[in-house]
Amino acid sequence: MFLIGAVVPLAIAGLVAGGFVALIASTVLDLPRTLVVACIAGLAGLVGAAFGVWLGTSQYRHTAWRLDEQGLAVRRGRLWQRETRVPANRVQHLDIKRGPLQRGRELSTLVVHTAGTRHSSVTVPNLDAADAERLRERLGRAIDAEDD
C-alpha cells in the first residue's frame, strides 16, 4: 500500500508534464484541435484516476479503530484528526456493506447505527471481511450484555 502512495504523486507530475508537452507539440506540429482535446480529456481522466488512488490510499492509511469495554472508537485523518467514540449502550444495530470493489479484495465496511437523529451512524471502511464479521459479533455481544 505504501508504494502506491509514494508513486502516485510522481505519476501525476508525469501526466501533467506530458500534457504540457502534448500542447506544445500540437502547436509546433499544427495537429488538429480534436486530437489535442481528446489527448487532454484522456490526460484529465488519468490524472483524476491517479488522484483517486492517492486519496483512497491516504484515507485508508490514516483510519484506525479500537474496541474496548466502553465501546468503539474510530480515528480518521492525518493533519486534522477526528475521533468518534460510540458507547456500547448507544449502539442500535450493526450492518456490514460490501460493494463490488470491496468484494473483489475481500473487504467490508462496518456500519454502526447509534441512538440519535443526526449523524446517527459511524462507519469503519475497508476492513478485512473476517475482521468486520468478528467486530460485528463482538459489538453485538456487548449490546446483548448491556440489555441483560
Side-chain angles (χ1 to χ4, degrees):
M1 242 353 157
F2 177 73
L3 180 63
I4 292 173
V7 171
V8 170
L10 295 174
I12 292 173
L15 289 172
V16 170
F20 284 125
V21 169
L23 284 174
I24 292 169
S26 70
T27 304
V28 171
L29 299 175
D30 197 29
L31 295 175
R33 294 288 178 210
T34 55
L35 179 63
V36 173
V37 170
C39 288
I40 290 174
L43 182 65
L46 288 173
V47 169
F51 179 72
V53 167
W54 172 79
L55 185 62
T57 302
S58 178
Q59 287 179 349
Y60 174 78
R61 286 188 296 161
H62 296 93
T63 300
W65 59 272
R66 184 182 72 235
L67 180 64
D68 55 18
E69 296 81 30
Q70 287 81 30
L72 177 70
V74 180
R75 183 184 311 162
R76 292 187 179 99
R78 182 176 182 180
L79 295 176
W80 287 277
Q81 291 185 350
R82 183 181 68 203
E83 185 167 334
T84 304
R85 189 106 173 102
V86 180
N89 61 356
R90 300 290 290 172
V91 175
Q92 295 281 316
H93 64 279
L94 306 158
D95 290 329
I96 290 182
K97 292 176 29 175
R98 297 182 76 196
L101 294 176
Q102 287 181 325
R103 282 193 306 267
R105 291 180 173 84
E106 296 190 19
L107 299 174
S108 297
T109 297
L110 178 69
V111 182
V112 180
H113 297 276
T114 61
T117 57
R118 186 178 170 122
H119 305 294
S120 61
S121 66
V122 176
T123 60
V124 184
N126 299 322
L127 291 170
D128 182 62
D131 287 343
E133 289 288 335
R134 283 194 295 270
L135 184 57
R136 180 174 70 169
E137 292 301 318
R138 193 166 162 203
L139 263 172
R141 284 194 302 269
I143 294 169
D144 292 340
E146 290 283 330
D147 289 341
D148 292 339

